[in-house]
Amino acid sequence: MSFPRYPSYRDSGVEWLGEVPEHWSVISIKWLSPVQRGASPRPIDDPIYFDEGGEYAWVRIADVSASDGILKETTQQLSALGSSLSVKLEPGELFVSIAGTVGKPCISAIKACIHDGFVYFPSLPITPKFLYRIFECGTCYAGLGKMGTQLNMNTDTIGSIRIPLPPESELGKILSFLEQESAKIDALMAEQRTLIELLKEKRQAVISHAVTKGLNPDVPMKDSGVEWLGDVPEYWGVTPLKHIVETPITDGPHETPDFFDEGIPFVSAEAVSGGRIDFSKIRGCISKEDHAKYSEKYIPRLFDIYMVKSGATTGVTAIVETNEAFNIWSPLAAVRCGPQAMPYFVLNFMRSRNFQEAIALYWNFGTQQNIGMNVLENLLVALPPLAEQLAIVRFLSCETAKLDALTAEAEQAIALLQERRTALISAAVTGKIDVRGLAR
C-alpha cells in the first residue's frame, strides 16, 4: 500500500532525517527537555535496598526487554532507602537505555526507579509517545554510541540528537495512525509466532512417536514398565542409557579455565541448541596446555552426544558434527554410543517429549536445576534393532526438514513484517508520508 506525501519538503540538515515537511521544525532533544541519568544504590546487591512490598519497582534492562515498550512490572521492588538513592519515575514517563541494549525506549506504567544505564526526560513538553516512536525506529542514534567494553551513550549524545517536530495538531494524528497500522502488523506477527509454536509442538510429537512407537502402526506393543515411556513395540529393548554406550558417560572439567580470543574452542551449555553445537556462542578458547590436560579425561569425537545437565537449559542436547579440536565444560554430559545404538537415533530419543519428561522428574534444585550423572546414566532408552533405528532416523530427517522449512518461512515472514513496521514508523515520524487524512 502506498501513502501520500506532503506537498513540499526542505532539507533538514540532519543525515538520518533527510528531507522533512516544509512546515515542520527540527530540534535537538536537549532543547525540548533536559536529559538526565538514572542512579543506583551501591552496592546494588545489598539486600537492605530491596523490599518486596516497596513502593517503587527496580528496573533492569531485562525488564525493559520483556515489557514490549510499556513497563507494567519488574522482578524486584526497592525499599524506601533503595529508592531514595535511585531516580524515581512516575507512571507515564519515558526512559531510554544507554548501555548494553542501547537506545531501547520504554514508558513506565508503574512507579519505578532507573539506574545509570538509563536516561529520562523530566520536562518533556510533548507526549512521550512521539519521542518513544522516534527511538523505536533505531535510526536517530545510529553511529552515536561509543565503544568501550560495550556500546554505550551518555546524556550529551542523547541530548544532541536532532529530531523532527510536527505541529501539535498533526502529532496526535501521526500517533493514532501508527497505533492502528502497527496493531495490524503486530497481529500478523502474532499469527506467525503461533504457527511457529504449533510447528515446534508438531516436530516434537513426530519425533516422540517415532522413537517410542516406531513407524509401523500395526506392530504389537508391550508395557515398558516405565510410566513416562508407556507402551513400546514388543520386540524393542528397554535398557539404561549406560548400557548402550561405548565408554562411561562423562562430563568436562569442573574448574574454570583461562579464556582467550584464540586457541581451542571451549563449549558449554549456551552453545548447545537445536540438536547442534553453535560454535559462535562459546565462552571463549582455552590454551593447548589446558586442552591436553582436560583431554586426559575426555576427548570429543564425531557423533558424540552432549546433554546439558545443569542450568536453565537442562536436558537440551546436541551431536558432534565436526572433527575439529575442541573441548567441553562441566555443565555438559558426553554420551558416546556403542555398536548397538545409532547416535542420531539416541539423539532423537533424548530430544523426545518422553525423555524430556523423565529429565524433569529427576531435576534437583540447588542454586539452579540440574540432573546428576548417576541419574542420567540410569534413565531408560527404548531401542529397536539397528535396521529400524536407521529407518526411523531417515524418516525423521525427512519429516523434520519439512517442518523446519515451514518454521523458517514463518520466521522470515516475521522479519519482513518487523522491517515493514519499523519503516512505517520511521516514515510517519519523519514526515515522509502524510497521515493527516489516514488516521481514524
Side-chain angles (χ1 to χ4, degrees):
M1 179 179 179
S2 60
F3 296 103
R5 288 173 57 81
Y6 282 89
S8 59
Y9 288 82
R10 63 180 175 85
D11 184 6
S12 69
V14 180
E15 184 177 355
W16 79 270
L17 275 180
E19 291 185 333
V20 295
E22 194 169 38
H23 62 292
W24 284 27
S25 302
V26 177
I27 188 171
S28 296
I29 291 175
K30 64 185 174 184
W31 298 122
L32 280 178
S33 168
V35 181
Q36 296 183 0
R37 202 163 187 163
S40 304
R42 295 285 192 270
I44 190 53
D45 56 352
D46 193 328
I48 195 172
Y49 299 131
F50 297 90
D51 179 357
E52 290 183 4
E55 183 179 6
Y56 285 86
W58 177 236
V59 184
R60 298 180 185 275
I61 189 62
D63 300 311
V64 174
S65 298
S67 70
D68 199 25
I70 304 295
L71 184 74
K72 298 178 181 178
E73 62 180 358
T74 67
T75 57
Q76 291 179 300
Q77 300 289 125
L78 289 179
S79 65
L81 175 61
S83 62
S84 72
L85 297 172
S86 184
V87 170
K88 298 175 181 177
L89 298 184
E90 299 302 313
E93 292 195 66
L94 170 71
F95 59 101
V96 176
S97 62
I98 59 170
T101 306
V102 169
K104 194 169 183 65
C106 191
I107 295 176
S108 182
I110 57 177
K111 291 184 174 184
C113 284
I114 57 172
H115 58 67
D116 55 8
F118 299 101
V119 295
Y120 70 110
F121 313 89
S123 305
L124 202 60
I126 61 173
T127 173
K129 191 67 175 179
F130 185 73
L131 192 53
Y132 171 92
R133 288 296 194 184
I134 288 176
F135 275 102
E136 188 181 20
C137 298
T139 51
C140 67
Y141 56 84
L144 294 180
K146 298 177 181 179
M147 292 300 295
T149 54
Q150 59 184 2
L151 185 65
N152 64 84
M153 295 188 290
N154 55 39
T155 55
D156 289 336
T157 54
I158 293 290
S160 66
I161 294 173
R162 298 183 68 196
I163 64 169
L165 194 63
E168 188 174 348
S169 60
E170 292 180 36
L171 197 148
K173 292 180 179 178
I174 292 170
L175 294 178
S176 295
F177 168 79
L178 289 176
E179 286 293 333
Q180 68 192 37
E181 294 301 317
S182 61
K184 295 175 186 176
I185 297 174
D186 290 344
L188 293 173
M189 288 195 291
E191 290 177 4
Q192 294 300 315
R193 291 190 183 100
T194 298
L195 173 60
I196 288 172
E197 289 304 310
L198 291 173
L199 289 168
K200 286 180 179 178
E201 292 176 9
K202 173 67 173 176
R203 192 181 197 281
Q204 190 176 56
V206 169
I207 291 172
S208 300
H209 188 275
V211 299
T212 61
K213 310 300 180 190
L215 304 179
N216 183 357
D218 300 321
V219 69
M221 307 294 283
K222 68 178 179 183
D223 183 358
S224 68
V226 183
E227 184 176 355
W228 57 263
L229 184 53
D231 291 345
V232 298
E234 64 177 7
Y235 60 92
W236 285 22
V238 178
T239 185
L241 190 59
K242 65 183 178 182
H243 289 166
I244 65 168
V245 295
E246 179 181 311
T247 57
I249 299 171
T250 188
D251 58 7
H254 288 246
E255 65 182 68
T256 301
D258 293 324
F259 290 115
F260 305 94
D261 292 333
E262 296 181 350
I264 307 299
F266 200 59
V267 174
S268 193
E270 63 270 19
V272 173
S273 174
R276 302 289 184 267
I277 300 170
D278 186 347
F279 285 92
S280 70
K281 296 181 179 178
I282 61 172
R283 294 282 179 95
C285 296
I286 58 174
S287 66
K288 291 182 179 179
E289 291 74 20
D290 278 343
H291 176 58
K293 179 173 65 174
Y294 301 151
S295 295
E296 293 176 3
K297 178 182 181 182
Y298 166 75
I299 303 175
R301 197 170 76 184
L302 193 65
F303 304 135
D304 283 355
I305 298 168
Y306 298 143
M307 191 192 86
V308 180
K309 63 183 179 67
S310 63
T313 56
T314 295
V316 174
T317 55
I319 194 166
V320 178
E321 294 182 313
T322 179
N323 284 311
E324 299 295 324
F326 68 94
N327 222 305
I328 65 170
W329 211 354
S330 58
L332 300 183
V335 177
R336 180 169 294 166
C337 293
Q340 76 274 42
M342 289 191 65
Y344 280 95
F345 177 85
V346 176
L347 174 71
N348 279 306
F349 187 89
M350 294 176 72
R351 299 184 73 192
S352 70
R353 183 178 291 118
N354 308 71
F355 193 82
Q356 291 298 309
E357 287 176 359
I359 293 291
L361 284 173
Y362 294 103
W363 274 345
N364 292 315
F365 288 92
T367 55
Q368 59 184 358
Q369 65 195 32
N370 65 85
I371 186 166
M373 293 286 284
N374 61 324
V375 174
L376 174 61
E377 66 183 13
N378 283 294
L379 288 178
L380 297 177
V381 177
L383 201 66
L386 278 171
E388 193 168 353
Q389 290 181 46
L390 177 59
I392 290 171
V393 167
R394 287 174 171 169
F395 168 80
L396 289 177
S397 178
C398 179
E399 294 302 308
T400 57
K402 296 175 186 175
L403 296 170
D404 291 345
L406 293 173
T407 300
E409 289 178 10
E411 290 171 343
Q412 178 65 16
I414 291 174
L416 292 173
L417 286 166
Q418 185 60 60
E419 288 178 11
R420 174 167 173 74
R421 188 183 191 277
T422 300
L424 187 65
I425 293 170
S426 179
V429 298
T430 60
K432 302 302 184 294
I433 57 177
D434 182 354
V435 305
R436 289 175 295 181
L438 302 175
R440 298 194 187 115

